[in-house]
Amino acid sequence: MSLTWSAKDHKNANQSAATGQKRSRNDAGNKVTVVLGAQWGDEGKGKVVDLLATEADFVCRCQGGNNAGHTVVVDGKEYDFHLLPSGIINPKSVSLIGKGLKGWEKRLIVSDRAHLVFDFHQVVDGLQETERQAQEGKNIGTTKKGIGPAYSSKASRTGLRVCDLLGDFKDFSARFKNLVRQYQSMYPSLTVDVEDQLKKLKEYSERLRPMVRDGVYYMYEALHGPPKKILVEGANAALLDIDFGTYPFVTSSNCTVGGACTGLGIPPLNIGDVFGVAKAYTTRVGIGAFPTEQLNAVGELLQTRGHEVGVTTGRKRRCGWLDLVIVRYAHMINGFTAIALTKLDILDVLDEIKVGVAYKLNGKRIPHFPANMDVLQKVEVEYETFPGWKTDTSAARKWNDLPAKAQNYIRFIENHIGVPIKWVGVGKSRECMIQMF
Ligand code: GDP
Ligand code: IMO
Ligand code: MG
C-alpha cells in the first residue's frame, strides 16, 4: 500500500509555510497530472510516466504496492519498478550505476499514513489462494505480494502504518503480535518468527525514518507553494479496481482516479489532466473474464511479439484484440483528458486487425459494462475489422511517418472512445513515442 513520492527537490515544498488563507475555487493551487491504466494492467504506464517525469518535480504513487511491475527503458537499459515511482529515473539529477540508482534515498518521501505490508501478509496471500483453489476449484491468480491481506488489515482496522512503526516501538510490537495472532487463528498453519520480524522491522524503521513525512501536509505544501509539476503514477488498472473492476478477479485498491485523492489526501479540484494508458490490443494476467481473448495463433503472436510476460510474477499474459468497451468504461469512471496508445508496433505484421466495439447479450447490444462476471463471460463481442498495414512502424517519430492504415486504426479508436490520443507508442524506449499534440 504505497504512498511514496520521488521528488527532484522536496526542500522547496517543505520550506514554504502553509498560509492558512482562504482560497477561492479559482485559486486551488497546482494541478496534478494522473496517469492511469485503462485495461487490466501492463499498458505501459511506467513508460508514459518516465516520459512525463523528465519535466516533473514530483512523481507520486498513491495505491497498490509491489504487485505493480513497470518496465522503463532508458538509454538501452531496462529498469523494473515495483514499488518506487518510475519517475525516480531522472537523467538530469541521477547517476546510474549499472542497474542500481544512486542517491534515491534522498529523493524518496514516504507518507506516515502508508500501511505496512508484512512478510506474513505475503504468506497469507499464498494460503488464501490455495484455499480458494481447494474450495472453489479456482483462485484469483494474485501476485502473492500480500496486497489483498494488507488491505484487509487496513479495512478491519488492525493494520499498522509507517507512523506506528516510527512511534513507540513497544506499542508497535504489541500490536504486531496481536495482528499475527489474529491471522494465526484464521490460518493455523501460519508460522511467524515474531522476534526475528520485529528485529528486522526495527532496523527498517531507522532506514525509513529520514524519508518519512506527514503526507497530507507535504502534498498541501507542494500544491500551494510555487508552481510545481506533480505527476501521479497509477498502479494496476481500471478493470482491476476493487470497486469498478471485474470483481472478484481484481486487486484490492482503487486504481481509478478517486484513488489519487484518497491515496494522497488531495482535493478533487487539484486533479488536472488524467491520462489513460491503453495498449493497441488487450492483455490480462491471472484469472477472470476476458471477452476479446484470442486462444489461437493471433493470441500467441501478440504474446510473443509483445513479450507479454508479467514483470512481477513471470507469468505469460493472456492476449486478445483491443476491447473498446472496456476502455470506454474506464473513461466513464476516470474522465480521461487524453489517451496514450502503446505497443502499436506489435500489430505491424498482422494481415487484419480486429477491435471489439460492443457487447451483445442474447443478440441485443448492451450499453453498459456488466457488473456480474457470469454475464461478462457470456457476452458476444461485436468487432470492427481493419486491414493490417504490414509495415515496420518502430522508426516512426511523428504522425506522418505512420502508414495511412495505421493512422485510420488510431483515428477510429480516438473517435470511438471520444478522447484524443496524445501519444502513440511504437517501441520500448523513451524516444519511441509519437506525440500528436
Ligand atoms: P505498466 O505496468 O503499465 O507500467 O506496463 P509494463 O511495464 O508492465 O508492461 C509494458 C511493457 O511494454 C514493458 O515491457 C514496456 O517496456 C513495453 N512497452 C511500452 N510501450 C511500448 C511500445 O509502444 N512498444 C513496445 N514494443 N513495447 C512497449
Ligand atoms: P501493473 O501496475 C497486471 C492482477 C493479478 C491478479 C489480480 C490480483 O504492472 O499494471 P493482487 O496481487 O493485486 O492481489 O492480484 O490483479 N494484477 C495485475 N495484473 N498488472 C498489474 O500491475 C497488476 N496488479 C495486480 O495478476 O489477477
Ligand atoms: Mg506492469
Side-chain angles (χ1 to χ4, degrees):
M1 252 169 264
S2 66
L3 256 146
T4 52
W5 292 263
S6 75
K8 238 194 236 169
D9 176 12
H10 60 261
K11 257 196 199 152
N12 283 351
N14 281 339
Q15 276 164 1
S16 60
T19 61
Q21 283 167 0
K22 277 194 182 160
R23 287 175 183 275
S24 72
R25 287 177 80 84
N26 297 329
D27 181 23
N30 296 320
K31 300 266 192 216
V32 307
T33 297
V34 188
V35 176
L36 298 171
Q39 295 158 320
W40 274 290
D42 306 322
E43 299 90 349
K45 297 175 289 293
K47 186 185 164 196
V48 173
V49 165
D50 170 65
L51 191 79
L52 295 169
T54 50
E55 301 219 325
D57 296 293
F58 300 90
V59 185
C60 320
R61 279 279 311 266
C62 60
Q63 43 73 228
N66 63 342
N67 53 348
H70 301 173
T71 302
V72 177
V73 183
V74 179
D75 295 335
K77 281 206 180 73
E78 203 159 310
Y79 298 87
D80 290 338
F81 293 100
H82 294 286
L83 191 58
L84 292 181
S86 303
I88 204 148
I89 314 177
N90 199 316
K92 293 197 183 95
S93 57
V94 177
S95 349
L96 306 177
I97 301 179
K99 279 201 164 195
L101 292 170
K102 199 179 168 190
W104 62 271
E105 285 111 325
K106 292 202 180 78
R107 296 181 294 108
L108 187 71
I109 306 293
V110 180
S111 164
D112 55 355
R113 288 180 175 82
H115 274 260
L116 299 167
V117 183
F118 297 116
D119 290 350
F120 68 79
H121 280 132
Q122 299 205 11
V123 178
V124 168
D125 200 343
L127 292 173
Q128 288 180 337
E129 283 285 79
T130 310
E131 204 172 79
R132 285 179 194 118
Q133 189 66 44
Q135 290 172 354
E136 301 163 41
K138 62 181 175 207
N139 55 29
I140 294 177
T142 74
T143 59
K144 298 191 183 160
K145 296 292 178 191
I147 305 305
Y151 269 104
S152 303
S153 296
K154 169 182 162 176
S156 52
R157 289 150 292 176
T158 46
L160 285 157
R161 302 185 293 171
V162 168
C163 57
D164 303 315
L165 179 64
L166 300 192
D168 176 19
F169 199 72
K170 245 172 93 184
D171 184 44
F172 175 85
S173 304
R175 288 175 64 190
F176 180 83
K177 285 177 188 165
N178 225 2
L179 188 58
V180 171
R181 269 196 297 273
Q182 277 177 12
Y183 273 108
Q184 282 177 327
S185 67
M186 283 188 282
Y187 301 96
S189 68
L190 176 70
T191 52
V192 182
D193 185 340
V194 170
E195 292 313 319
D196 180 63
Q197 287 287 303
L198 286 170
K199 190 169 157 258
K200 272 195 206 144
L201 285 160
K202 180 82 189 130
E203 284 164 21
Y204 294 156
S205 72
E206 294 318 317
R207 284 183 64 189
L208 203 58
R209 197 179 292 280
M211 303 173 212
V212 176
R213 299 284 187 286
D214 183 294
V216 174
Y217 185 68
Y218 188 83
M219 283 310 292
Y220 179 85
E221 289 281 84
L223 292 172
H224 297 290
K228 292 266 179 238
K229 289 217 165 105
I230 304 167
L231 199 57
V232 178
E233 173 179 7
N236 330 118
L239 275 292
L240 292 172
D241 183 283
I242 183 80
D243 290 308
F244 303 111
T246 42
Y247 193 88
F249 304 104
V250 292
T251 190
S252 301
S253 67
N254 282 114
C255 339
T256 44
V257 69
C261 290
T262 56
L264 294 171
I266 59 173
L269 264 179
N270 291 94
I271 302 285
D273 275 318
V274 180
F275 296 137
V277 188
K279 247 179 234 189
Y281 50 98
T282 311
T283 63
R284 176 162 201 183
V285 193
I287 317 296
F290 181 172
T292 62
E293 183 170 22
Q294 297 298 299
L295 295 167
N296 52 31
V298 170
E300 279 164 32
L301 182 133
L302 295 172
Q303 197 277 323
T304 43
R305 258 184 80 74
H307 304 289
E308 297 295 353
V309 179
V311 190
T312 307
T313 57
R315 290 177 289 178
K316 269 190 183 177
R317 295 170 182 153
R318 299 156 63 193
C319 297
W321 297 119
L322 178 63
D323 183 343
L324 289 180
V325 179
I326 71 165
V327 181
R328 279 176 66 150
Y329 173 65
H331 174 50
M332 288 178 203
I333 300 160
N334 291 318
F336 297 132
T337 54
I339 298 260
L341 185 74
T342 60
K343 299 191 105 163
L344 183 83
D345 54 303
I346 304 305
L347 307 180
D348 285 351
V349 297
L350 289 164
D351 293 325
E352 60 171 32
I353 299 163
K354 292 189 179 190
V355 179
V357 290
Y359 291 166
K360 281 188 192 163
L361 261 182
N362 306 321
K364 268 197 181 157
R365 268 192 182 200
I366 51 169
H368 60 276
F369 181 77
N372 183 303
M373 286 308 101
D374 292 337
V375 176
L376 188 62
Q377 293 281 11
K378 285 193 200 115
V379 296
E380 188 196 328
V381 183
E382 206 177 295
Y383 288 101
E384 196 75 37
T385 305
F386 295 84
W389 43 92
K390 310 274 277 177
T391 312
D392 181 355
T393 58
S394 63
R397 294 292 173 267
K398 43 187 199 307
W399 175 248
N400 288 338
D401 296 340
L402 288 173
K405 285 175 183 158
Q407 292 180 343
N408 283 345
Y409 181 72
I410 295 164
R411 287 296 179 221
F412 176 83
I413 295 167
E414 190 169 61
N415 289 334
H416 194 86
I417 313 171
V419 180
I421 292 178
K422 190 172 167 72
W423 298 276
V424 176
V426 291
K428 280 182 154 217
S429 319
R430 200 185 260 173
E431 60 277 11
C432 297
M433 201 68 145
I434 299 170
Q435 184 156 349
M436 316 271 276
F437 58 92

